[in-house]
Amino acid sequence: MSYKTKKVMPIGIVSELTGLSPRQIRYYEERKLIFPERSEGGTRKYSFLDVERLMYIAEKMEDGLQTYEIRRMEKQKNQEELRREMLRGQLNAAFRQRT
Amino acid sequence: MSYKTKKVMPIGIVSELTGLSPRQIRYYEERKLIFPERSEGGTRKYSFLDVERLMYIAEKMEDGLQTYEIRRMEKQKNQEELRREMLRGQLNAAFRQRT
DNA sequence: CGTGTAAGGAATTCTGACACG
DNA sequence: CGTGTAAGGAATTCTGACACG
């Protein structure tokens, strides 16, 4: 696992890095926009990728979007990616090509 | 600053990642082998590079080296690098070359 | 020298709730 | 809906010291 995706930061650091309040960060988790891991004791752990995602979320919030709208956008993006990958898989299977 | 060098991890995470005890990690700091940053409240913050360095230190310790020997090795390495860089600088100046 | 541990305190984080709008 | 805040408690970290070897 890369340094970018490894969950290692406490919420205080993430708050400093993103400019968001701990309250905001926890709320975005409640709204299924962000998914930190937990330590044994229950404290949240975030990755740099999470920090990037939070900054992206912050932008969208500033644009006036609601959390469920952002979540919907993310889901759409993922589904488009899936579609593209499945298409690529089918093409590969059909023509026996290797990338 | 890259994800590798940004100081963001608390000592508990570093302990998990390296397999070293917090006591050992603090001791290596006392012996000037590692240099975490501090939060306002005084808690230590480490980077992934620090984690790598700690694993390197752990190896050397297992080899039976003492902390001052490891510190001496590091210093030597740095000085060699400096020498090489200065030499490169002089050559560039002498021949007006650009890399 | 290098590391474990118990001690006491401080910084950090957690959750659920109330408030505002 | 999104966020601030005070509340109480728990997890985490801090330092200095003693112990062992």
Side-chain angles (χ1 to χ4, degrees), chain A residues 34-58:
Chain A
I34 194 86
F35 305 93
E37 290 181 0
R38 296 280 185 145
S39 74
E40 298 226 345
T43 63
R44 274 167 265 249
K45 299 184 292 184
Y46 301 86
S47 68
F48 281 109
L49 181 59
D50 290 330
V51 170
E52 286 185 12
R53 199 193 314 276
L54 280 167
M55 295 181 76
Y56 169 81
I57 293 170

PDB file of all heavy atoms in Angstrom, chain A residues 34-58:
ATOM      1  N   ILE A  34     -16.643  10.143   3.329  1.00  0.00           N
ATOM      2  CA  ILE A  34     -15.249   9.861   3.688  1.00  0.00           C
ATOM      3  C   ILE A  34     -15.245   8.659   4.640  1.00  0.00           C
ATOM      4  O   ILE A  34     -16.180   8.481   5.421  1.00  0.00           O
ATOM      5  CB  ILE A  34     -14.622  11.113   4.343  1.00  0.00           C
ATOM      6  CG1 ILE A  34     -13.116  11.014   4.419  1.00  0.00           C
ATOM      7  CG2 ILE A  34     -15.190  11.367   5.734  1.00  0.00           C
ATOM      8  CD1 ILE A  34     -12.455  11.493   3.167  1.00  0.00           C
ATOM      9  N   PHE A  35     -14.207   7.816   4.534  1.00  0.00           N
ATOM     10  CA  PHE A  35     -14.225   6.567   5.299  1.00  0.00           C
ATOM     11  C   PHE A  35     -12.904   6.284   5.993  1.00  0.00           C
ATOM     12  O   PHE A  35     -12.104   5.479   5.518  1.00  0.00           O
ATOM     13  CB  PHE A  35     -14.576   5.405   4.368  1.00  0.00           C
ATOM     14  CG  PHE A  35     -15.859   5.617   3.618  1.00  0.00           C
ATOM     15  CD1 PHE A  35     -15.851   6.184   2.357  1.00  0.00           C
ATOM     16  CD2 PHE A  35     -17.065   5.282   4.210  1.00  0.00           C
ATOM     17  CE1 PHE A  35     -17.047   6.397   1.672  1.00  0.00           C
ATOM     18  CE2 PHE A  35     -18.266   5.491   3.521  1.00  0.00           C
ATOM     19  CZ  PHE A  35     -18.255   6.053   2.246  1.00  0.00           C
ATOM     20  N   PRO A  36     -12.674   6.938   7.120  1.00  0.00           N
ATOM     21  CA  PRO A  36     -11.432   6.706   7.871  1.00  0.00           C
ATOM     22  C   PRO A  36     -11.442   5.326   8.507  1.00  0.00           C
ATOM     23  O   PRO A  36     -12.515   4.728   8.674  1.00  0.00           O
ATOM     24  CB  PRO A  36     -11.463   7.797   8.933  1.00  0.00           C
ATOM     25  CG  PRO A  36     -12.909   8.116   9.116  1.00  0.00           C
ATOM     26  CD  PRO A  36     -13.538   7.930   7.780  1.00  0.00           C
ATOM     27  N   GLU A  37     -10.274   4.827   8.836  1.00  0.00           N
ATOM     28  CA  GLU A  37     -10.198   3.608   9.641  1.00  0.00           C
ATOM     29  C   GLU A  37     -10.229   4.004  11.110  1.00  0.00           C
ATOM     30  O   GLU A  37     -10.242   5.188  11.445  1.00  0.00           O
ATOM     31  CB  GLU A  37      -8.907   2.852   9.310  1.00  0.00           C
ATOM     32  CG  GLU A  37      -8.926   2.237   7.923  1.00  0.00           C
ATOM     33  CD  GLU A  37      -7.650   1.462   7.619  1.00  0.00           C
ATOM     34  OE1 GLU A  37      -6.763   1.409   8.493  1.00  0.00           O
ATOM     35  OE2 GLU A  37      -7.555   0.919   6.506  1.00  0.00           O
ATOM     36  N   ARG A  38     -10.241   2.999  11.975  1.00  0.00           N
ATOM     37  CA  ARG A  38     -10.248   3.291  13.405  1.00  0.00           C
ATOM     38  C   ARG A  38      -9.119   2.545  14.103  1.00  0.00           C
ATOM     39  O   ARG A  38      -8.770   1.427  13.723  1.00  0.00           O
ATOM     40  CB  ARG A  38     -11.579   2.822  14.021  1.00  0.00           C
ATOM     41  CG  ARG A  38     -12.797   3.545  13.491  1.00  0.00           C
ATOM     42  CD  ARG A  38     -12.980   4.894  14.148  1.00  0.00           C
ATOM     43  NE  ARG A  38     -14.230   5.529  13.716  1.00  0.00           N
ATOM     44  CZ  ARG A  38     -14.984   6.276  14.489  1.00  0.00           C
ATOM     45  NH1 ARG A  38     -14.626   6.498  15.755  1.00  0.00           N
ATOM     46  NH2 ARG A  38     -16.085   6.825  14.026  1.00  0.00           N
ATOM     47  N   SER A  39      -8.580   3.150  15.119  1.00  0.00           N
ATOM     48  CA  SER A  39      -7.608   2.451  15.963  1.00  0.00           C
ATOM     49  C   SER A  39      -8.376   1.518  16.893  1.00  0.00           C
ATOM     50  O   SER A  39      -9.600   1.546  16.935  1.00  0.00           O
ATOM     51  CB  SER A  39      -6.817   3.454  16.787  1.00  0.00           C
ATOM     52  OG  SER A  39      -7.633   3.961  17.830  1.00  0.00           O
ATOM     53  N   GLU A  40      -7.641   0.701  17.623  1.00  0.00           N
ATOM     54  CA  GLU A  40      -8.297  -0.198  18.576  1.00  0.00           C
ATOM     55  C   GLU A  40      -9.205   0.583  19.530  1.00  0.00           C
ATOM     56  O   GLU A  40     -10.309   0.174  19.843  1.00  0.00           O
ATOM     57  CB  GLU A  40      -7.238  -0.935  19.401  1.00  0.00           C
ATOM     58  CG  GLU A  40      -6.328  -1.820  18.570  1.00  0.00           C
ATOM     59  CD  GLU A  40      -6.173  -3.181  19.216  1.00  0.00           C
ATOM     60  OE1 GLU A  40      -6.520  -3.315  20.405  1.00  0.00           O
ATOM     61  OE2 GLU A  40      -5.714  -4.104  18.504  1.00  0.00           O
ATOM     62  N   GLY A  41      -8.708   1.713  19.970  1.00  0.00           N
ATOM     63  CA  GLY A  41      -9.436   2.516  20.936  1.00  0.00           C
ATOM     64  C   GLY A  41     -10.575   3.313  20.337  1.00  0.00           C
ATOM     65  O   GLY A  41     -11.362   3.907  21.053  1.00  0.00           O
ATOM     66  N   GLY A  42     -10.622   3.366  18.987  1.00  0.00           N
ATOM     67  CA  GLY A  42     -11.729   4.063  18.357  1.00  0.00           C
ATOM     68  C   GLY A  42     -11.378   5.392  17.701  1.00  0.00           C
ATOM     69  O   GLY A  42     -12.255   6.034  17.123  1.00  0.00           O
ATOM     70  N   THR A  43     -10.118   5.809  17.786  1.00  0.00           N
ATOM     71  CA  THR A  43      -9.758   7.083  17.165  1.00  0.00           C
ATOM     72  C   THR A  43      -9.625   6.910  15.652  1.00  0.00           C
ATOM     73  O   THR A  43      -9.158   5.882  15.163  1.00  0.00           O
ATOM     74  CB  THR A  43      -8.430   7.618  17.729  1.00  0.00           C
ATOM     75  OG1 THR A  43      -7.386   6.710  17.423  1.00  0.00           O
ATOM     76  CG2 THR A  43      -8.527   7.782  19.229  1.00  0.00           C
ATOM     77  N   ARG A  44     -10.030   7.935  14.922  1.00  0.00           N
ATOM     78  CA  ARG A  44     -10.031   7.878  13.461  1.00  0.00           C
ATOM     79  C   ARG A  44      -8.633   8.004  12.882  1.00  0.00           C
ATOM     80  O   ARG A  44      -7.800   8.747  13.408  1.00  0.00           O
ATOM     81  CB  ARG A  44     -10.930   8.987  12.910  1.00  0.00           C
ATOM     82  CG  ARG A  44     -12.395   8.599  12.806  1.00  0.00           C
ATOM     83  CD  ARG A  44     -13.276   9.809  12.565  1.00  0.00           C
ATOM     84  NE  ARG A  44     -13.785  10.282  13.846  1.00  0.00           N
ATOM     85  CZ  ARG A  44     -15.053  10.197  14.227  1.00  0.00           C
ATOM     86  NH1 ARG A  44     -15.958   9.701  13.411  1.00  0.00           N
ATOM     87  NH2 ARG A  44     -15.430  10.619  15.415  1.00  0.00           N
ATOM     88  N   LYS A  45      -8.412   7.300  11.767  1.00  0.00           N
ATOM     89  CA  LYS A  45      -7.138   7.397  11.054  1.00  0.00           C
ATOM     90  C   LYS A  45      -7.396   7.679   9.581  1.00  0.00           C
ATOM     91  O   LYS A  45      -8.167   6.972   8.939  1.00  0.00           O
ATOM     92  CB  LYS A  45      -6.355   6.086  11.186  1.00  0.00           C
ATOM     93  CG  LYS A  45      -6.011   5.708  12.611  1.00  0.00           C
ATOM     94  CD  LYS A  45      -5.158   4.454  12.669  1.00  0.00           C
ATOM     95  CE  LYS A  45      -5.916   3.229  12.224  1.00  0.00           C
ATOM     96  NZ  LYS A  45      -5.109   1.978  12.371  1.00  0.00           N
ATOM     97  N   TYR A  46      -6.722   8.710   9.052  1.00  0.00           N
ATOM     98  CA  TYR A  46      -6.944   9.151   7.668  1.00  0.00           C
ATOM     99  C   TYR A  46      -5.674   9.008   6.829  1.00  0.00           C
ATOM    100  O   TYR A  46      -4.560   9.007   7.356  1.00  0.00           O
ATOM    101  CB  TYR A  46      -7.379  10.614   7.637  1.00  0.00           C
ATOM    102  CG  TYR A  46      -8.642  10.903   8.390  1.00  0.00           C
ATOM    103  CD1 TYR A  46      -8.614  11.165   9.756  1.00  0.00           C
ATOM    104  CD2 TYR A  46      -9.872  10.919   7.741  1.00  0.00           C
ATOM    105  CE1 TYR A  46      -9.785  11.434  10.453  1.00  0.00           C
ATOM    106  CE2 TYR A  46     -11.048  11.194   8.434  1.00  0.00           C
ATOM    107  CZ  TYR A  46     -10.994  11.452   9.787  1.00  0.00           C
ATOM    108  OH  TYR A  46     -12.147  11.719  10.477  1.00  0.00           O
ATOM    109  N   SER A  47      -5.882   8.919   5.515  1.00  0.00           N
ATOM    110  CA  SER A  47      -4.764   8.881   4.566  1.00  0.00           C
ATOM    111  C   SER A  47      -4.638  10.231   3.856  1.00  0.00           C
ATOM    112  O   SER A  47      -5.535  11.073   3.944  1.00  0.00           O
ATOM    113  CB  SER A  47      -5.004   7.794   3.526  1.00  0.00           C
ATOM    114  OG  SER A  47      -6.094   8.162   2.692  1.00  0.00           O
ATOM    115  N   PHE A  48      -3.533  10.405   3.148  1.00  0.00           N
ATOM    116  CA  PHE A  48      -3.369  11.627   2.340  1.00  0.00           C
ATOM    117  C   PHE A  48      -4.436  11.690   1.251  1.00  0.00           C
ATOM    118  O   PHE A  48      -4.884  12.776   0.879  1.00  0.00           O
ATOM    119  CB  PHE A  48      -1.971  11.662   1.714  1.00  0.00           C
ATOM    120  CG  PHE A  48      -0.901  12.093   2.657  1.00  0.00           C
ATOM    121  CD1 PHE A  48       0.039  11.195   3.143  1.00  0.00           C
ATOM    122  CD2 PHE A  48      -0.806  13.420   3.063  1.00  0.00           C
ATOM    123  CE1 PHE A  48       1.037  11.597   4.021  1.00  0.00           C
ATOM    124  CE2 PHE A  48       0.189  13.836   3.934  1.00  0.00           C
ATOM    125  CZ  PHE A  48       1.112  12.920   4.413  1.00  0.00           C
ATOM    126  N   LEU A  49      -4.826  10.510   0.760  1.00  0.00           N
ATOM    127  CA  LEU A  49      -5.895  10.494  -0.241  1.00  0.00           C
ATOM    128  C   LEU A  49      -7.183  11.033   0.374  1.00  0.00           C
ATOM    129  O   LEU A  49      -7.928  11.779  -0.276  1.00  0.00           O
ATOM    130  CB  LEU A  49      -6.093   9.064  -0.762  1.00  0.00           C
ATOM    131  CG  LEU A  49      -7.166   8.899  -1.840  1.00  0.00           C
ATOM    132  CD1 LEU A  49      -6.847   9.761  -3.056  1.00  0.00           C
ATOM    133  CD2 LEU A  49      -7.298   7.439  -2.252  1.00  0.00           C
ATOM    134  N   ASP A  50      -7.441  10.670   1.626  1.00  0.00           N
ATOM    135  CA  ASP A  50      -8.611  11.201   2.322  1.00  0.00           C
ATOM    136  C   ASP A  50      -8.530  12.725   2.407  1.00  0.00           C
ATOM    137  O   ASP A  50      -9.531  13.421   2.229  1.00  0.00           O
ATOM    138  CB  ASP A  50      -8.704  10.618   3.738  1.00  0.00           C
ATOM    139  CG  ASP A  50      -9.061   9.141   3.732  1.00  0.00           C
ATOM    140  OD1 ASP A  50      -9.756   8.707   2.803  1.00  0.00           O
ATOM    141  OD2 ASP A  50      -8.638   8.425   4.661  1.00  0.00           O
ATOM    142  N   VAL A  51      -7.333  13.222   2.688  1.00  0.00           N
ATOM    143  CA  VAL A  51      -7.137  14.670   2.771  1.00  0.00           C
ATOM    144  C   VAL A  51      -7.471  15.319   1.428  1.00  0.00           C
ATOM    145  O   VAL A  51      -8.178  16.329   1.372  1.00  0.00           O
ATOM    146  CB  VAL A  51      -5.691  15.007   3.179  1.00  0.00           C
ATOM    147  CG1 VAL A  51      -5.418  16.489   3.017  1.00  0.00           C
ATOM    148  CG2 VAL A  51      -5.426  14.562   4.617  1.00  0.00           C
ATOM    149  N   GLU A  52      -6.998  14.704   0.352  1.00  0.00           N
ATOM    150  CA  GLU A  52      -7.309  15.236  -0.985  1.00  0.00           C
ATOM    151  C   GLU A  52      -8.808  15.218  -1.229  1.00  0.00           C
ATOM    152  O   GLU A  52      -9.380  16.188  -1.729  1.00  0.00           O
ATOM    153  CB  GLU A  52      -6.608  14.397  -2.056  1.00  0.00           C
ATOM    154  CG  GLU A  52      -5.116  14.642  -2.136  1.00  0.00           C
ATOM    155  CD  GLU A  52      -4.480  13.878  -3.295  1.00  0.00           C
ATOM    156  OE1 GLU A  52      -5.226  13.353  -4.149  1.00  0.00           O
ATOM    157  OE2 GLU A  52      -3.235  13.814  -3.344  1.00  0.00           O
ATOM    158  N   ARG A  53      -9.439  14.114  -0.867  1.00  0.00           N
ATOM    159  CA  ARG A  53     -10.872  13.996  -1.086  1.00  0.00           C
ATOM    160  C   ARG A  53     -11.613  15.058  -0.275  1.00  0.00           C
ATOM    161  O   ARG A  53     -12.564  15.668  -0.750  1.00  0.00           O
ATOM    162  CB  ARG A  53     -11.348  12.598  -0.686  1.00  0.00           C
ATOM    163  CG  ARG A  53     -12.694  12.221  -1.286  1.00  0.00           C
ATOM    164  CD  ARG A  53     -13.313  10.992  -0.648  1.00  0.00           C
ATOM    165  NE  ARG A  53     -12.408   9.872  -0.463  1.00  0.00           N
ATOM    166  CZ  ARG A  53     -12.132   8.981  -1.411  1.00  0.00           C
ATOM    167  NH1 ARG A  53     -12.672   9.093  -2.591  1.00  0.00           N
ATOM    168  NH2 ARG A  53     -11.296   7.998  -1.160  1.00  0.00           N
ATOM    169  N   LEU A  54     -11.165  15.294   0.941  1.00  0.00           N
ATOM    170  CA  LEU A  54     -11.817  16.298   1.777  1.00  0.00           C
ATOM    171  C   LEU A  54     -11.688  17.693   1.172  1.00  0.00           C
ATOM    172  O   LEU A  54     -12.625  18.495   1.240  1.00  0.00           O
ATOM    173  CB  LEU A  54     -11.220  16.270   3.190  1.00  0.00           C
ATOM    174  CG  LEU A  54     -11.759  15.155   4.084  1.00  0.00           C
ATOM    175  CD1 LEU A  54     -10.909  15.003   5.339  1.00  0.00           C
ATOM    176  CD2 LEU A  54     -13.206  15.438   4.472  1.00  0.00           C
ATOM    177  N   MET A  55     -10.541  17.984   0.576  1.00  0.00           N
ATOM    178  CA  MET A  55     -10.379  19.293  -0.036  1.00  0.00           C
ATOM    179  C   MET A  55     -11.293  19.424  -1.255  1.00  0.00           C
ATOM    180  O   MET A  55     -11.831  20.501  -1.529  1.00  0.00           O
ATOM    181  CB  MET A  55      -8.910  19.513  -0.389  1.00  0.00           C
ATOM    182  CG  MET A  55      -8.030  19.558   0.876  1.00  0.00           C
ATOM    183  SD  MET A  55      -6.278  19.850   0.551  1.00  0.00           S
ATOM    184  CE  MET A  55      -6.326  21.617   0.196  1.00  0.00           C
ATOM    185  N   TYR A  56     -11.464  18.302  -1.949  1.00  0.00           N
ATOM    186  CA  TYR A  56     -12.390  18.283  -3.077  1.00  0.00           C
ATOM    187  C   TYR A  56     -13.822  18.509  -2.588  1.00  0.00           C
ATOM    188  O   TYR A  56     -14.577  19.300  -3.148  1.00  0.00           O
ATOM    189  CB  TYR A  56     -12.265  16.933  -3.802  1.00  0.00           C
ATOM    190  CG  TYR A  56     -13.328  16.659  -4.826  1.00  0.00           C
ATOM    191  CD1 TYR A  56     -13.245  17.207  -6.102  1.00  0.00           C
ATOM    192  CD2 TYR A  56     -14.424  15.854  -4.522  1.00  0.00           C
ATOM    193  CE1 TYR A  56     -14.232  16.957  -7.051  1.00  0.00           C
ATOM    194  CE2 TYR A  56     -15.415  15.603  -5.463  1.00  0.00           C
ATOM    195  CZ  TYR A  56     -15.307  16.154  -6.722  1.00  0.00           C
ATOM    196  OH  TYR A  56     -16.277  15.897  -7.651  1.00  0.00           O
ATOM    197  N   ILE A  57     -14.171  17.829  -1.509  1.00  0.00           N
ATOM    198  CA  ILE A  57     -15.505  17.980  -0.922  1.00  0.00           C
ATOM    199  C   ILE A  57     -15.733  19.420  -0.472  1.00  0.00           C
ATOM    200  O   ILE A  57     -16.796  20.001  -0.705  1.00  0.00           O
ATOM    201  CB  ILE A  57     -15.676  17.023   0.281  1.00  0.00           C
ATOM    202  CG1 ILE A  57     -15.685  15.565  -0.202  1.00  0.00           C
ATOM    203  CG2 ILE A  57     -16.947  17.339   1.056  1.00  0.00           C
ATOM    204  CD1 ILE A  57     -15.600  14.544   0.928  1.00  0.00           C
ATOM    205  N   ALA A  58     -14.708  19.995   0.138  1.00  0.00           N
ATOM    206  CA  ALA A  58     -14.816  21.372   0.620  1.00  0.00           C
ATOM    207  C   ALA A  58     -15.126  22.327  -0.531  1.00  0.00           C
ATOM    208  O   ALA A  58     -15.950  23.240  -0.400  1.00  0.00           O
ATOM    209  CB  ALA A  58     -13.521  21.779   1.324  1.00  0.00           C
TER     210      ALA A  58
END
